[in-house]
Amino acid sequence: MDDAGGPAPLKSYAPADRVAMPEMAGERVDGGGRFSLKGLRGKVVVVNAWASWCGPCSAEAPGLSRVHEELRGEGLRVVGISADVSVGEARAFEKDAELVYPSLHDPQGRLLLRLPKGVVNTAGYPFTVIVDPEGRIAATRIGAIDEAELKRLVMPLLPA
C-alpha cells in the first residue's frame, strides 16, 4: 500500500542512524496548559499523531493508554498530537477513548511538519514516532500500532 519511494509502514533505526526528534510544544487538548517534549528527555517517548475522525486512531488508542500505564514506571511516556481543527472534537475523542496521556493540539499540522523529511507521511493518520532517551527517532510506524508491536519496539530502548 506504500506508494513508490514513500516511507515504509514500519521502520527501525540503528543507533548510529538515528536523527534528532524536533522539539514539539504547544497547548494541551485537555486544557491542561502548555506541554513540551523537551521535558521528557531521558525517557522513551511514543509520539502518536491522531484525529477524532480517524477510525484506526480510535482502535489503537486503548492499547497506547495501556502501554503508557504499564511502562510509565520504567521510563516510557506516550504523547498524542491531535490534528483536529476543533479542540472540542479532540477533547471528546480523548474522553471517549479514555486517553491517560497528554495530547498537543496541532490543527494546522505545524508540529508534525517539523519531522525530518521521509520519516513518515504526515498526510495520513495515525502514525507513531518512537524516540529514544537521547531524543533521537528510533522507530516509526505508519498506520495503527498494536500493543504487542509497540512493546517490541520500546522495550529495548528502556533502561535495564
Side-chain angles (χ1 to χ4, degrees):
M1 203 153 127
D2 187 26
D3 57 308
L10 175 64
K11 267 198 239 180
S12 292
Y13 300 91
D17 298 328
R18 294 178 187 165
V19 296
M21 177 70 174
E23 167 58 347
M24 294 192 181
E27 293 299 318
R28 288 174 53 145
V29 166
D30 64 8
R34 288 192 60 78
F35 184 84
S36 167
L37 286 186
K38 197 184 298 178
L40 298 178
R41 187 59 60 93
K43 309 262 185 238
V44 173
V45 183
V46 175
V47 179
N48 177 256
W50 60 269
S52 64
W53 41 262
C54 161
C57 299
S58 298
E60 75 177 353
L64 289 165
S65 284
R66 282 191 292 272
V67 171
H68 175 83
E69 290 287 290
E70 184 180 330
L71 299 177
R72 184 178 176 90
E74 295 178 47
L76 179 109
R77 296 293 183 277
V78 176
V79 177
I81 298 184
S82 168
D84 282 281
V85 173
S86 162
V87 73
E89 287 175 13
R91 282 184 184 148
F93 176 92
E94 278 193 337
K95 187 172 190 253
D96 292 346
E98 299 177 0
L99 296 188
V100 296
Y101 51 85
S103 290
L104 291 167
H105 188 227
D106 188 28
Q108 280 88 39
R110 289 190 180 116
L111 295 176
L112 298 176
L113 289 175
R114 293 180 178 177
L115 289 168
K117 189 164 173 40
V119 171
V120 291
N121 176 356
T122 57
Y125 299 98
F127 64 83
T128 302
V129 178
I130 297 169
V131 183
D132 71 15
E134 288 78 45
R136 301 170 306 167
I137 297 172
T140 57
R141 176 71 162 99
I142 297 171
I145 191 165
D146 66 32
E147 279 179 81
E149 182 177 47
L150 182 58
K151 285 183 183 178
R152 186 175 56 76
L153 293 169
V154 301
M155 293 301 276
L157 301 172
L158 293 170

